[in-house]
């Protein structure tokens, strides 16, 4: 048997991980930025990286958001099949978002796509975006990944033909080159290959949650090509245009090759917690 996970626990947990995600950058990202700063030869680029690191330090010390764009909120929920819930998990997450918006505080970013009317609390139709995955056990793992518009707007998807697999690398480089300094580089690139139109985009976004240093040979090769573009920190030139590339793949239709690039700024914000329902 499992102990029930109650509504108030989820609400307070969502507030806590939102505060962590918005004010404290994951250590692997901080370390990658420090490494880039130590290896940078351009004085302007080095100055930008040092400013970013100072910003991270101030945000952490003062418990204030790292960036004024606190993003739209993306949640990844791994739901144990044996978890006992007698309430709406989605309602609890939304309530946590509303409380966090006021208490952290977060900038209200959720607007109607046509009227542009702002809900004022970062919730609305389909927002926050909550992605569910069933897992074994009775625990619930909740991950939040705030996503700013500067990087999100530079993301792209392309439906290639199966014979065009050799065009994937060029598509990624083209997307990064066209983005320039707009997504606040150094960026992290999530690449989704396969699945369907929407599956490729979901793969690309979830790839941004991977540890910065955990790259295979294919990902490191693509990272090298991206950094050879010379866009550099904040688009002002330099050695480091991207900190990492992460690729996720899925089987796709025999007549299709969906490819999505989801770009994240240097503030690759995310935080997780696991609520245990075990006795």
């Amino acid at each position: 048997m499992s102990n029930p996970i109650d509504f108030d626990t989820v609400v307070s947990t969502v507030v806590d991980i939102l505060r962590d995600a918005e004010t404290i950058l994951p250590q692997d990202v901080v370390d990658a930025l420090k490494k880039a700063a130590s290896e940078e030869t351009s004085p302007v680029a080095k100055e930008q990286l040092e400013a970013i690191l100072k910003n991270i330090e101030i945000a952490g010390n003062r418990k204030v958001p790292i960036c004024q764009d606190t993003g739209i909120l993306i949640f990844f929920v791994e739901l144990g099949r044996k978890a006992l819930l007698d309430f709406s998990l989605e309602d609890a997450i939304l309530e946590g978002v509303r409380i966090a918006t006021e208490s952290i505080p977060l900038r209200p970013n959720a607007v109607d796509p046509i009227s542009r009317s702002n809900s004022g609390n970062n919730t609305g139709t389909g927002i926050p975006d909550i992605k569910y995955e069933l897992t074994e056990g009775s625990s619930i793992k909740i991950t939040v990944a705030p996503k700013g518009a500067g990087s999100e707007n530079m993301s792209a998807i392309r439906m290639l033909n199966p014979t065009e697999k050799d065009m994937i690398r060029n598509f990624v480089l083209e997307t990064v080159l066209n983005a320039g300094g707009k997504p606040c580089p150094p960026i992290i690139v999530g690449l989704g290959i396969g699945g369907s139109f929407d599956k490729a985009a979901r793969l690309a976004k979830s790839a941004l949650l991977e540890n910065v240093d955990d790259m295979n040979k294919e990902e490191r090769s693509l990272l090298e090509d991206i950094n050879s573009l010379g866009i550099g920190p904040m688009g002002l030139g330099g050695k480091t245009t991207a900190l990492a590339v992460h690729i996720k793949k899925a089987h796709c239709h025999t007549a299709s090759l969906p490819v999505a690039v989801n770009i994240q700024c240097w503030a690759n914000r995310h935080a997780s917690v696991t609520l245990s329902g075990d006795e």
Side-chain angles (χ1 to χ4, degrees):
M1 293 291 290
S2 300
N3 293 324
I5 298 169
D6 62 40
F7 183 90
D8 290 341
T9 298
V10 174
V11 171
S12 62
T13 293
V14 167
V15 175
D16 289 344
I17 62 171
L18 264 171
R19 181 175 287 106
D20 287 347
E22 296 282 6
T23 63
I24 305 170
L25 207 58
Q27 192 60 47
D28 61 307
V29 182
V30 176
D31 290 344
L33 288 165
K34 288 180 178 179
K35 183 173 184 290
S38 69
E39 296 177 351
E40 186 56 67
T41 55
S42 163
V44 173
K46 194 176 189 72
E47 185 177 290
Q48 294 301 311
L49 289 165
E50 289 173 349
I52 288 171
L53 289 165
K54 184 64 176 178
N55 180 87
I56 294 168
E57 180 185 354
I58 293 171
N61 289 338
R62 297 186 181 180
K63 302 300 181 184
V64 295
I66 295 167
C67 178
Q68 52 84 23
D69 184 354
T70 52
I72 57 169
L73 306 177
I74 315 297
F75 285 88
F76 298 86
V77 177
E78 297 176 31
L79 181 60
R81 300 175 192 274
K82 296 180 181 178
L84 299 179
L85 302 178
D86 60 358
F87 62 93
S88 167
L89 183 57
E90 182 170 339
D91 285 349
I93 291 173
L94 264 63
E95 180 63 13
V97 168
R98 285 189 284 264
I99 293 172
T101 297
E102 184 175 351
S103 65
I104 293 176
L106 306 179
R107 189 177 76 182
N109 283 330
V111 302
D112 181 276
I114 305 302
S115 72
R116 312 308 290 181
S117 173
N118 196 313
S119 69
N121 58 22
N122 284 305
T123 69
T125 304
I127 290 295
D129 185 9
I130 307 173
K131 307 173 191 300
Y132 295 97
E133 178 185 354
L134 287 177
T135 59
E136 296 303 321
S138 58
S139 298
I140 301 174
K141 181 178 180 181
I142 304 174
T143 299
V144 65
K147 195 68 162 61
S151 59
E152 189 78 346
N153 289 349
M154 296 298 104
S155 300
I157 190 165
R158 186 169 292 177
M159 302 301 290
L160 298 177
N161 292 321
T163 57
E164 296 177 321
K165 63 181 181 180
D166 292 339
M167 294 178 61
I168 293 175
R169 183 174 291 259
N170 284 343
F171 171 52
V172 176
L173 295 176
E174 173 189 302
T175 301
V176 174
L177 186 60
N178 289 340
K182 293 178 182 177
C184 295
I187 59 175
I188 294 173
V189 177
L191 177 59
I193 303 174
S196 58
F197 179 84
D198 55 312
K199 176 73 171 181
R202 295 198 305 273
L203 289 169
K205 182 155 286 180
S206 64
L208 298 174
L209 300 176
E210 299 296 316
N211 188 290
V212 168
D213 295 322
D214 292 343
M215 287 180 283
N216 59 31
K217 184 177 180 181
E218 180 183 13
E219 292 164 336
R220 291 187 183 280
S221 175
L222 191 48
L223 175 64
E224 185 176 335
D225 286 350
I226 289 172
N227 284 331
S228 72
L229 297 173
I231 296 170
M234 296 301 172
L236 298 175
K239 294 174 62 176
T240 310
T241 297
L243 298 174
V245 175
H246 295 299
I247 302 172
K248 285 197 171 185
K249 301 176 183 178
H251 278 58
C252 60
H253 193 284
T254 182
S256 181
L257 179 55
V259 181
V261 177
N262 197 227
I263 292 178
Q264 177 64 293
C265 65
W266 61 262
N268 188 21
R269 301 165 289 185
H270 52 88
S272 301
V273 70
T274 299
L275 299 175
S276 177
D278 295 335
E279 293 185 318

